[in-house]
Short mmCIF file of all heavy atoms in Angstrom, two decimals:
data_model
loop_
_atom_site.label_atom_id
_atom_site.label_comp_id
_atom_site.label_asym_id
_atom_site.label_seq_id
_atom_site.Cartn_x
_atom_site.Cartn_y
_atom_site.Cartn_z
N VAL A 223 102.43 98.94 64.68
CA VAL A 223 103.25 99.56 65.67
C VAL A 223 104.28 98.52 66.15
O VAL A 223 103.91 97.47 66.65
CB VAL A 223 102.35 100.01 66.85
CG1 VAL A 223 103.27 100.56 67.96
CG2 VAL A 223 101.38 101.05 66.41
N MET A 224 105.52 98.89 65.96
CA MET A 224 106.61 97.98 66.38
C MET A 224 107.40 98.72 67.50
O MET A 224 107.57 99.94 67.42
CB MET A 224 107.54 97.70 65.16
CG MET A 224 108.73 96.81 65.45
SD MET A 224 109.89 96.65 64.06
CE MET A 224 108.86 95.67 62.93
N GLY A 225 107.81 97.97 68.47
CA GLY A 225 108.55 98.63 69.57
C GLY A 225 109.47 97.72 70.34
O GLY A 225 109.31 96.47 70.31
N SER A 226 110.44 98.31 71.04
CA SER A 226 111.20 97.55 71.98
C SER A 226 110.34 97.35 73.23
O SER A 226 109.26 97.90 73.38
CB SER A 226 112.50 98.32 72.31
OG SER A 226 112.19 99.58 72.88
N ASP A 227 110.89 96.60 74.20
CA ASP A 227 110.08 96.32 75.44
C ASP A 227 109.84 97.61 76.19
O ASP A 227 108.93 97.67 77.03
CB ASP A 227 110.70 95.24 76.28
CG ASP A 227 112.06 95.65 76.79
OD1 ASP A 227 112.77 96.45 76.16
OD2 ASP A 227 112.47 95.17 77.90
N GLY A 228 110.61 98.65 75.96
CA GLY A 228 110.40 99.93 76.60
C GLY A 228 109.03 100.50 76.29
O GLY A 228 108.46 101.24 77.07
N LEU A 229 108.45 100.13 75.11
CA LEU A 229 107.10 100.52 74.74
C LEU A 229 106.09 99.60 75.40
O LEU A 229 105.20 100.02 76.16
CB LEU A 229 106.89 100.49 73.28
CG LEU A 229 105.47 100.69 72.76
CD1 LEU A 229 104.92 102.10 73.12
CD2 LEU A 229 105.35 100.44 71.25
N PHE A 230 106.20 98.29 75.16
CA PHE A 230 105.16 97.38 75.54
C PHE A 230 105.14 97.03 77.01
O PHE A 230 104.14 96.60 77.54
CB PHE A 230 105.27 96.07 74.72
CG PHE A 230 105.06 96.30 73.24
CD1 PHE A 230 106.09 96.24 72.35
CD2 PHE A 230 103.76 96.61 72.74
CE1 PHE A 230 105.87 96.50 71.02
CE2 PHE A 230 103.56 96.88 71.42
CZ PHE A 230 104.64 96.77 70.56
N ASP A 231 106.27 97.27 77.76
CA ASP A 231 106.23 97.13 79.24
C ASP A 231 105.46 98.31 79.92
O ASP A 231 105.08 98.14 81.06
CB ASP A 231 107.67 97.19 79.75
CG ASP A 231 108.35 95.81 79.67
OD1 ASP A 231 107.65 94.80 79.45
OD2 ASP A 231 109.59 95.75 79.76
N ASN A 232 105.26 99.35 79.18
CA ASN A 232 104.70 100.58 79.80
C ASN A 232 103.40 101.07 79.19
O ASN A 232 102.80 101.95 79.76
CB ASN A 232 105.74 101.70 79.73
CG ASN A 232 106.99 101.45 80.57
OD1 ASN A 232 106.90 101.33 81.80
ND2 ASN A 232 108.13 101.32 79.92
N VAL A 233 102.98 100.55 78.04
CA VAL A 233 101.79 101.02 77.38
C VAL A 233 100.95 99.83 77.00
O VAL A 233 101.37 98.87 76.40
CB VAL A 233 102.14 101.81 76.12
CG1 VAL A 233 100.89 102.31 75.44
CG2 VAL A 233 103.06 103.01 76.44
N PHE A 234 99.64 99.90 77.37
CA PHE A 234 98.65 98.85 77.03
C PHE A 234 98.22 98.99 75.57
O PHE A 234 98.31 100.03 75.00
CB PHE A 234 97.47 98.96 77.96
CG PHE A 234 97.74 98.51 79.43
CD1 PHE A 234 97.96 99.53 80.39
CD2 PHE A 234 97.76 97.19 79.77
CE1 PHE A 234 98.22 99.14 81.70
CE2 PHE A 234 98.01 96.82 81.09
CZ PHE A 234 98.25 97.83 82.06
#
Side-chain angles (χ1 to χ4, degrees):
V223 175
M224 181 187 289
S226 60
D227 63 332
L229 171 66
F230 297 108
D231 279 344
N232 293 297
V233 180
F234 290 98

